[in-house]
Structures are given as structure tokens and as C-alpha cells.
Amino acid sequence: MNRGIAYYILGRFLQSVMVLWIIVTLLFLLFRLAPSNPLASYIDTTFTKEQEAALLARFGLDKPLGEQYIIYLFNLARFELGDTFSYSGKSVLDILSADLPNTIYLTLSSLLVAYAVGVLGGIAMAALRGSLFERVGTTFTLMTRAAPTFWVGMLLLSFFAFQWKLLPSAGIGPAVVRYRWETEWDKLMSPVFWRHMILPTFTLALYLHGLPLLLMRSNMLEVLDQDYVTMSRLAGYSEWRVMIHTAARNAMLPVLTALTLGIGYSIGGNVVIENVFSWPGLGRTLVRAVQQADYPLAQGAFFLIALIIVFMNFIADILYSLLDPRVGASAQAQVS
Amino acid sequence: MSRKLVSVVVLLLMLLVFAIPAASQTAGEAVPAIIVRSVTQAERPIEFETTRLVVENMRQLGLEVEHRAVPWAQLIDEIWYTRTGDEAWEMTYWRMVGRPERSDPDEFTYNLFHSSVRDGGYNFIGYNNPDYDALAEAQRVEVADKEARLDIICEAQQIIRNDMVNAYFVHPLTPQVVNTEVFNADSVVTQAGIGVHNFWTWIGIEPTGDNKDLVTSTTSFLNSFNPLEIAGDAPSRVTEMTWDRLMRINPIGVAEPWAAESVVWEDPLNVVVTLRAGMTWHDGEPVQSDDAAYSFEAALAGTTQTDEDGNESFRAEAPDYYPFARNVANIEIIDDLSLRFTLHTPSAAFETSSLAKLNLIPKHIWEPIINDLLTKDDADVDSIQEDIPIGSGPFKYIAFDVNEFVLLAAFDDHWARPKIDTWLMNVLPNQEATLGQIQSGEMNFLWEWPGDPGVLQQIVDDNEPLDLFSAISIGFQYFAFNVRYAPFDDVTFRQAIAHTIPQQFIIDNIYNGFAAPADSFVSAALEYWRQCDDLPTYDQGIDGARELLAGAGYTWDDDGRLHYPAE
């Protein structure tokens, strides 16, 4: 690795740390200044001032805001996200570490389907430019991109789960099966789990496939006009080989970058899908935490999502610098 | 300047501060703009629409009214913490839900209106009436004569209705759906004021065939499985089945012995409870009187703390249950199955609010936990989640995944073993998924439906095996007035507002008929406690309200704006 790239990566790393600090500070202020109260769920006809004081002390909310902030930063640095307000005997980390794998499975499987269909569809559309297939395909893709995911999810639920009873409607598996899963491995090995994942994966993939498809199509159309593609054709290679080996390989780079960023954004953007399909992931927990004014849990969930997005951005930057040497060179020029 | 003089000056200044606005508000000035609060349309469309309608009627009365809709958590925050001062709330839509222990009128009679809980408790409306306080206290200690207590409860209802501190308008009918292909409809029990999702249904519902698994769901939270924590409606349904109670509220709303074979009052302060013989915990240990005693001792456990100013306060380890046990002065173990409770003061609601409320917990499991908590300042029982919860109820724990599902199985050794084998509650945040599942058969008992009841009715009409059950709730919906400040400190003004609430129109058009008219904090479902003379009615509409206000000296200016009486 040359010096320029090393500086570039270090710079990006420091930038990422700064972005994270700003995010966690905003999160802290956002929840403290929000017009709702963590004690709201406790208020009942028997609620007394003594109970209120005890609860505030238990959650550390009786301390000055500055002190709460310092404790919060100090704990975050050690990845101690605190105790939830609303779950008995569970820490934020307990809840989020149980949710995160489910969100990752859903995100990765959706991205896999979306990018496989997107890339192949993009190549096919570029190859069949001007055909009925391309016109219908483009329209369909734009429609799926524009349709609200909750609406698409509800439609799929209505037909596949409730009317035709082909697929399960909610969760990651029936309780009678789930409680026997002792490890993540048991879950992953269970066909029931994968069956429950079909509908949410398909819904999310339907939305996500638009970006790689349109990106791939336009990149392909650009690449197909390049001299080296013409040369390949003149060299007598088959059209299939020209498309896949020559054109598609070169058109893929921006799609790969989009994929890296897509992982981060999709993890944060599953909120709607997870709620429609009662999928026990980060997004669903986030909504519940906000509804219950559970500051530590909501902060933890937002922090985790932000961490993943910032990290994936960082990875995308590194990939870019490795794939495109001009990035490193420009950085070197700036430091020398 | 002496300290005494400073105190006098400060006192005078304070008097001025309070006196000036009070004077300016009542000297023929226009009634200032009023903010009426409710939850948002997305959260509770029925509550939002009702508020919108009433706000419109209030405007026709010559008032400037803003409808401010905020999320429930924010509304609670505003109502609870801004009950006094310049930012104090004025009028809000509010609801009280039905719970079995609310079958006794004590909780509402005392906690909603007694002046001792107006600063930090549930009397957030700020009602302060010494005559009423006396009645609320008297009904509490009227143990011996139930009819005398009824008279007191009736008088209390009359006062509240006359003073119009809360404008009650409906007791919702809770719609619930049962799949009668799976369960015998005749075995579903309707509990007064609660509906069919109650303990008696869970243990008595009969499967029609081989499928003996009851599947239900909740759209709310299922975040606790703890016998010493009250974490909401869904967790309460689970704890009441897993942990037995000495008494239970029966289907007609009266506490009856359950885990206790007998409950005998020796005098108004002493009651002897004898447990059924042969009961066991789910881990096989016998249930004995020291367990029953410990269940109350755990609720009473706590430490007294002193703050920097030397003020002492008591921190209960089980704060949710402490209020239901604190009247217990002493518990004496008589033998393995009998114990005597001695109370601080006579309490007519003790059976309903304590013996039928507290879960029986095994001493061999909870004593070490509570002892450990007593050594910690920053934790109470809410921070405890047992790996395998052990109770002695008719259902035992199989699995619990927080906010996902809870799975219980019939406890074969229980003397009232349920007729179903398993009871499963899934958390489904999506209401449409709830509807889909009850139609597809994935779920066979829909006990909670926060949406439009008309939609549920339609689904039942379209699906042969589904039956709709509905019952008047103990709970009620109402508009609460902050009676501390003008204009709501004036009884006539409040009564006029009550006249503008079109009760029957709301029931027919907003509730789609799924509500019963309400005029009191004691539901029509509690027939015994409603054997009172008719309560005053407020159904004269906007014209009646205008007449009432005019009679009290209120006037309208040329723009139609309402003004306070000149005097």
C-alpha cells in the first residue's frame, strides 16, 4: 500500500469517528429533549411520587444532563449500552445482539436476490435495448422502486399468506419450533426459518433490485460503446462472451460500490419491512423503543445502525481507493 | 431587612402574581383560547375523531379552541407533569382501561379524585373537595355493611357527576373473536367489564376436536414475565395464569376464594386465609402458608433512604405491587396451610385489590432474589427475569421470547387443569396481519383489537367459523378538565361543555355502535355498584349549553365570542 492510500484511509477513519461522535451526541440530545417521558409507561392510578423518584434514580435520570452525557459517552466507548427501561432484566446489548443477526440475514438475503436479479436483468436489458422486454422491464422496475414497501408487503401477505396460505405471515417461525433453537446455528439449519424469510426477503428485494438493475443497464450501455468492446466483437468472440466477460466485468465496479453502501443503508432501512412481517430485527425493536420512550434501547439501536452505515461507507471508500488508484494518488498529492 | 420582612414581601408578591391573572380572567373578559389534547389520528382514530367533533361543538359555543394531537407517550408526559403553572393543560381526552381488580370501585373512587393524590398522583385534574374526600375514605373502611358502602359509592358518583370534573361519555365494548371450529362457543366465559379474554375462559374453553392449542396475539408489548411487575395488559394476562392467587375475581366481578379454600374475617382488621391442600409449584415443591405470606412480604420489602436534606423516603423492591400490600400490618403463620393477615385500617377492597391481586410466589425461589435486591440501590424486581418462571397456576411456563411470544402449557397437577393443552400469544405489531391470521386460522382467538370494530364485524360476517363476542368494559373514555384554572374551575362552564358532547352520535357514528353510554367512573358492567338514583344528564346540546352559560352570567360579544360573567 502506498503512502497516499495510507493517509487517505487514516483521514477517512478519523472522519468516520467524528461523524459517529456527532451522531451519538445528536442521539443523546434528541431523546432527552423529545417531548415524551420514559416514566410514561409506569404511570397508573397507583403511581406515587416516591415511585417516580425511585425510577428516575434507577435509570440515572436524576443526574444533571452534562453528567448523563459524560456517562453516556464513557459507556459507549466501552460498548456498554446500558439497561433498557422496558424489558425486565435485559440489557440493551442483550436485546440488540438477539435482533442484529435476524436483520443481517434478511438484509443479506434480500441484497443477494436483488443484486443477482439486478445485475443479470441489467445485462439483459442492455443487450436487448429497445425491445419490448426492456420497456416492460424498466417500467416494472420503476414501479417497484416507487411503490411503498409496506404496501407491497401487505399485498404479498394478503395473497401468499392469507388467501392462498402458501407461506407464513409473521415472525421467524412458530413458537413451538423457535423455543427449541438454542443457537444461531440451530436457527439457520431450520427449514422453517428460511420459509418464514421468503416473503420479507422477496418484498425487500423487489424494492432493492431497481438500483443495481438500472445502474448495470446504464453502465452496460456506456461500456458497449467503448472501443475495446468493438475490438472484442471484431476478434470474433461470441456475443455472450462479449457481454459477460468484456462488458459486464467493466460495468460491475459501480454496482459493487453500491452494494457495499446498500448493506449499510438496508440494515437501517428495514424498519417498515420488519414491522409488516413482525420480523424480530433491529428495525422493529427501534420502533417499539421509540413508542415506549425507552431511551437506552432506541439510542442503542440508532447507534448500531449508524455504526454499520458509517463502517460500510468507510469500507466503500477503501474499496474505491484500492480499485481506483487515482483516489490514492490524489490524496498523496494533497499531503505532499 | 429582617428575614421576617423578606418573607412577608415575598408572600405579598406571590399573592399579587396569582391574584392579577385570576382577576383579569373573570372580569367580563373573553374566555381565552383553549387547547384540547388527544392522541394522534394514526395512533387512535376513534379518540382523535371524537375530540375533533367535540372541539367543533365547543367552537360553536363561542370559544376559541385548538385541537392538539400528540403521541400517547407525549400526552401522558404533558398531562402528568404540567398540571400546574402557565403551561398547565386545560382539557384532554383520556381513557381508563378495565382490569379485573377494578371490579371493586375503590381504585377509581379514591385514586382519581381524592385530594391527597392531586399533586403527584392520578388526580391530575386537581379536584379538591373535602366532602368528597370524606366519602372516598369512608367507603374504604366500610367493611361490615355492603349496602352502607353502596350508599357512599352512589353519593360519590352523584358528586362527581354534579361537579362534572370528568365528562364521561362511553364505556367501550371490547370486541373479541373466537374460532368456533376449534373451540366450543358455549365454553367461552364473558367476565363483567372485561370481556371474553379472561382467566375463566382460558381455563374453561373447550376444544371441539384434537386441536387443543389456543393461539392468540397482541399488538402491544410483551416485555415481562415477572410475578412482581405490572408491565401492561398482555404481560398481566400471562402472569395471572402462571401464578395463582388466594382469591380471584369471578365472572360477575366478585372476589371468590381460589388458591385459598376459605377466607374468614375475624373482625374488620383480621382475616384468616386457609390454602387448598395438595397444591404444588411447577417445580414440584408444595405450596404452603409461608409462601403465601412471603408473596405479601416481597411486595412490602424495601429500604428507607435519606436524601441530602435529611428527608426519608421508602423505596419498595416491588413498586408495582407495594400499593396493593401496604395496608398489611402483620402476617401470622398459623399452620402449614393457614395464615392471618392483620390490616392497618379496615379495607372493604382488600379482597379484590389485594387477595385477588397479588400473585403467589414460591418463597424458596424469591427470598434469595429479594434479599439480594435489598443490598442494591439501583435495582428492583423490574430488573429480574427468571430463566424458568415457577408459579403454581393452571398454566406453566414453556418458553418466552421478549416481545415475540409466550408459550404456556396446561399444568397437569393443578386442581383446575385447563381443557386446552397449550396457550400461545404472539406479538403482531401489524393489525392487518392480526386480521389475516384470524381469517386464515393461524390464530384462533383474537382478544385484542385496537382498530375499528366495524371491520371486525365484517370479517366475522364473512367467515362462518368466527364468532364475535363483546362486553361493556369496566374502563371508560372521557374528557378530563384541569379544574385548577379558569375557565374549567367553574362548575357551570364544565357542565356546559358536557352538554356539547354528542354522546349518542359518537356511539353510533364513531364507535360504530361498539360502546355503551357512560355517565360515571363506575361502569354499567358493575351492576351492584350502579344501583343508585339516576345521575344528572347532560344532553341538551349546544343550545342547552348556551342557556346554562347565559344563566350564570356569561355573555357573547358581537363576534359571537364567549365572555366571562362581569362579576
Side-chain angles (χ1 to χ4, degrees):
Chain A
M1 195 191 298
N2 66 35
R3 204 163 142 235
I5 290 181
Y7 273 115
Y8 174 76
I9 292 174
L10 182 66
R12 288 290 170 188
F13 176 75
L14 291 176
Q15 229 176 38
S16 301
V17 172
M18 187 63 82
V19 167
L20 266 183
W21 174 70
I22 292 169
I23 289 172
V24 298
T25 304
L26 283 176
L27 279 178
F28 176 83
L29 293 174
L30 201 68
F31 284 101
R32 295 308 188 281
L33 301 178
S36 63
N37 194 298
L39 302 184
S41 54
Y42 292 88
I43 287 172
D44 191 60
T45 51
T46 54
F47 194 68
T48 60
K49 276 193 161 176
E50 289 76 26
Q51 265 176 279
E52 186 182 327
L55 281 168
L56 287 173
R58 192 180 125 204
F59 296 139
L61 296 170
D62 56 342
K63 295 182 170 64
L65 208 60
E67 195 180 334
Q68 286 184 44
Y69 179 63
I70 300 293
I71 294 170
Y72 163 76
L73 282 186
F74 187 66
N75 286 340
L76 271 189
R78 294 179 300 163
F79 221 74
E80 276 186 21
L81 303 177
D83 288 332
T84 71
F85 289 171
S86 54
Y87 292 70
S88 287
K90 295 265 185 185
S91 71
V92 171
L93 211 53
D94 289 340
I95 303 286
L96 297 183
S97 54
D99 291 339
L100 186 60
N102 291 330
T103 295
I104 289 176
Y105 301 144
L106 179 60
T107 304
L108 291 185
S109 56
S110 307
L111 283 169
L112 191 70
V113 173
Y115 276 73
V117 171
V119 167
L120 293 176
I123 294 172
M125 281 188 188
L128 301 169
R129 189 177 186 188
S131 68
L132 181 68
F133 171 75
E134 196 216 6
R135 286 203 300 274
V136 172
T138 310
T139 310
F140 175 76
T141 302
L142 289 173
M143 274 171 60
T144 56
R145 193 80 185 150
T149 46
F150 76 87
W151 179 74
V152 175
M154 299 298 297
L155 278 184
L156 294 176
L157 262 184
S158 174
F159 288 112
F160 287 92
F162 302 138
Q163 291 206 14
W164 301 329
K165 297 179 186 175
L166 293 173
L167 292 166
S169 62
I172 56 171
V176 284
V177 177
R178 282 174 67 178
Y179 86 90
R180 294 198 174 90
W181 296 338
E182 287 176 4
T183 60
E184 282 298 311
W185 184 248
D186 292 341
K187 181 163 76 183
L188 289 173
M189 287 297 101
S190 168
V192 168
F193 172 70
W194 292 102
R195 199 161 166 263
H196 277 74
M197 203 152 84
I198 294 174
L199 273 184
T201 299
F202 187 59
T203 310
L204 195 55
L206 213 53
Y207 171 74
L208 290 174
H209 89 284
L211 178 66
L213 189 142
L214 298 174
L215 203 56
M216 193 67 193
R217 177 182 160 276
S218 60
N219 288 340
M220 282 289 287
L221 292 175
E222 217 170 279
V223 168
L224 285 173
D225 285 340
Q226 300 291 318
D227 291 344
Y228 58 87
V229 175
T230 313
M231 286 300 293
S232 295
R233 285 196 173 113
L234 290 175
Y237 292 130
S238 68
E239 191 60 19
W240 169 257
R241 189 175 167 143
V242 170
M243 281 290 164
I244 302 297
H245 282 260
T246 313
R249 281 175 71 176
N250 285 292
M252 279 283 281
L253 283 179
V255 179
L256 283 177
T257 314
L259 173 65
T260 322
L261 293 175
I263 293 173
Y265 287 112
S266 300
I267 283 176
N270 283 351
V271 174
V272 174
I273 299 284
E274 288 186 359
N275 277 282
V276 168
F277 292 97
S278 307
W279 188 262
L282 272 186
R284 209 181 86 158
T285 295
L286 180 64
V287 170
R288 293 197 157 246
V290 171
Q291 282 173 344
Q292 287 190 300
D294 189 338
Y295 297 164
L297 186 57
Q299 275 174 187
F302 273 121
F303 171 68
L304 202 56
I305 290 169
L307 189 67
I308 291 167
I309 292 174
V310 170
F311 179 72
M312 293 315 292
N313 268 303
F314 178 60
I315 295 293
D317 284 342
I318 294 176
L319 274 181
Y320 234 97
S321 68
L322 295 176
L323 293 174
D324 187 348
R326 286 171 297 183
V327 174
S330 121
Q332 193 168 24
Q334 282 172 21
V335 294
S336 58
Chain B
M1 202 185 296
S2 73
R3 283 176 67 181
K4 201 172 174 182
L5 189 61
V6 171
S7 304
V8 171
V9 170
V10 168
L11 192 66
L12 282 172
L13 281 173
M14 284 175 70
L15 279 172
L16 265 175
V17 166
F18 286 109
I20 289 170
S24 66
Q25 279 170 350
T26 54
E29 296 287 322
V31 176
I34 293 168
I35 297 170
V36 181
R37 288 167 162 84
S38 80
V39 292
T40 57
Q41 187 168 29
E43 217 171 344
R44 299 255 171 178
I46 285 179
E47 297 181 13
F48 179 88
E49 289 303 330
T50 304
T51 310
R52 195 155 70 165
L53 182 69
V54 170
V55 162
E56 192 49 48
N57 284 0
M58 287 171 69
R59 285 177 184 147
Q60 290 186 40
L61 210 55
L63 291 163
E64 193 179 308
V65 191
E66 178 196 339
H67 176 189
R68 185 176 292 173
V70 295
W72 177 240
Q74 185 182 337
L75 184 65
I76 288 187
D77 189 40
E78 289 179 6
I79 301 303
W80 198 263
Y81 293 106
T82 54
R83 53 182 81 188
T84 56
D86 291 343
E87 299 295 317
W89 63 277
E90 295 160 307
M91 174 174 166
T92 186
Y93 190 110
W94 205 255
R95 66 180 111 101
M96 300 298 304
V97 298
R99 292 188 199 140
E101 64 273 16
R102 288 176 171 169
S103 300
D104 188 281
D106 174 70
E107 185 177 333
F108 288 153
T109 306
Y110 194 92
N111 290 335
L112 296 190
F113 308 108
H114 195 276
S115 61
S116 65
V117 285
R118 79 194 275 262
D119 292 334
Y122 217 90
N123 179 6
F124 51 79
I125 56 173
Y127 188 55
N128 184 8
N129 180 343
D131 294 340
Y132 183 88
D133 285 355
L135 290 173
E137 288 157 18
Q139 63 81 26
R140 206 162 240 206
V141 297
E142 185 55 74
V143 181
D145 189 343
K146 201 175 175 187
E147 286 194 10
R149 186 170 178 236
L150 171 63
D151 290 342
I152 300 170
I153 296 288
C154 285
E155 200 179 335
Q157 292 181 70
Q158 288 284 356
I159 290 181
I160 293 302
R161 189 63 175 167
N162 278 323
D163 282 359
M164 189 38 72
V165 287
N166 286 335
Y168 304 103
F169 55 94
V170 293
H171 299 289
L173 293 170
T174 46
Q176 286 142 352
V177 176
V178 180
N179 187 327
T180 54
E181 245 175 28
V182 184
F183 300 112
N184 182 354
D186 294 336
S187 64
V188 176
V189 181
T190 300
Q191 183 167 11
I194 302 295
V196 298
H197 73 290
N198 62 69
F199 178 79
W200 307 102
T201 294
W202 305 140
I203 63 163
I205 194 166
E206 289 171 7
T208 54
D210 293 338
N211 182 359
K212 296 183 176 177
D213 304 324
L214 189 146
V215 183
T216 187
S217 74
T218 178
T219 54
S220 60
F221 307 103
L222 190 60
N223 46 12
S224 160
F225 195 133
N226 182 337
L228 289 171
E229 182 183 3
I230 301 173
D233 207 14
S236 295
R237 298 286 82 79
V238 175
T239 52
E240 73 177 1
M241 293 192 286
T242 314
W243 285 274
D244 253 340
R245 293 170 182 182
L246 291 172
M247 301 183 84
R248 288 201 185 262
I249 310 295
N250 69 14
I252 59 166
V254 177
E256 66 177 35
W258 176 256
E261 192 173 72
S262 66
V263 176
V264 179
W265 288 89
E266 295 176 324
D267 56 58
L269 287 176
N270 290 287
V271 58
V272 173
V273 174
T274 304
L275 300 175
R276 285 175 185 274
M279 291 190 299
T280 60
W281 298 104
H282 298 154
D283 62 1
E285 295 290 319
V287 178
Q288 295 187 318
S289 52
D290 60 343
D291 292 310
Y294 191 74
S295 304
F296 283 76
E297 286 160 7
L300 288 166
T303 47
T304 302
Q305 297 174 333
T306 310
D307 66 15
E308 291 160 355
D309 301 328
N311 300 319
E312 285 192 344
S313 63
F314 181 74
R315 194 180 72 87
E317 295 300 345
D320 296 345
Y321 278 96
Y322 175 72
F324 301 103
R326 66 177 156 199
N327 193 23
V328 175
N330 186 47
I331 307 172
E332 178 194 344
I333 308 271
I334 299 169
D335 58 39
D336 280 353
L337 294 178
S338 302
L339 63 164
R340 177 182 290 107
F341 291 91
T342 303
L343 309 185
H344 288 292
T345 56
S347 169
F350 185 68
E351 290 186 359
T352 306
S353 305
S354 299
L355 296 181
K357 175 73 179 173
L358 268 78
N359 295 306
L360 292 180
I361 56 173
K363 185 177 181 182
H364 63 279
I365 289 174
W366 280 94
E367 191 173 39
I369 296 173
I370 298 289
N371 287 344
D372 181 48
L373 286 172
L374 285 167
T375 64
K376 297 174 181 170
D377 286 340
D378 59 348
D380 59 27
V381 292
D382 291 0
S383 61
I384 301 295
Q385 180 59 62
E386 293 176 87
D387 288 337
I388 299 177
I390 299 291
S392 63
F395 287 90
K396 65 179 182 181
Y397 166 91
I398 296 293
F400 169 52
D401 195 348
V402 69
N403 271 345
E404 293 300 322
F405 68 87
V406 61
L407 178 62
L408 306 176
F411 180 38
D412 290 331
D413 294 337
H414 197 274
W415 56 275
R417 186 207 188 273
K419 296 183 174 69
I420 53 174
D421 286 344
T422 64
W423 187 95
L424 168 66
M425 177 185 276
N426 288 309
V427 176
L428 285 181
N430 179 355
Q431 286 185 22
E432 282 71 21
T434 306
L435 287 184
Q437 288 205 353
I438 191 71
Q439 292 178 84
S440 68
E442 278 182 83
M443 181 190 350
N444 48 37
F445 194 114
L446 189 155
W447 74 282
E448 182 198 57
W449 177 245
D452 179 2
V455 174
L456 216 50
Q457 181 69 62
Q458 187 61 48
I459 280 171
V460 169
D461 292 343
D462 295 344
N463 290 271
E464 182 68 31
L466 301 181
D467 258 17
L468 183 78
F469 294 81
S470 65
I472 299 177
S473 173
I474 294 175
F476 42 83
Q477 318 266 311
Y478 62 105
F479 284 98
F481 307 119
N482 191 342
V483 300
R484 297 173 182 86
Y485 301 110
F488 292 104
D489 59 348
D490 178 10
V491 178
T492 310
F493 185 84
R494 297 196 298 263
Q495 289 173 335
I497 298 297
H499 278 297
T500 68
I501 300 173
Q503 192 178 43
Q504 198 55 48
F505 183 87
I506 291 170
I507 291 171
D508 294 341
N509 296 286
I510 299 182
Y511 280 81
N512 276 323
F514 280 85
D519 59 2
S520 169
F521 55 90
V522 179
S523 168
L526 303 176
E527 289 176 21
Y528 181 81
W529 302 107
R530 288 304 308 262
Q531 300 177 84
C532 311
D533 294 336
D534 286 345
L535 299 175
T537 52
Y538 298 90
D539 55 1
Q540 299 302 305
I542 294 162
D543 291 342
R546 280 178 167 271
E547 211 173 293
L548 192 64
L549 289 169
Y554 282 83
T555 54
W556 285 265
D557 62 21
D558 293 342
D559 297 328
R561 182 84 188 266
L562 184 69
H563 284 241
Y564 286 111
E567 288 292 315

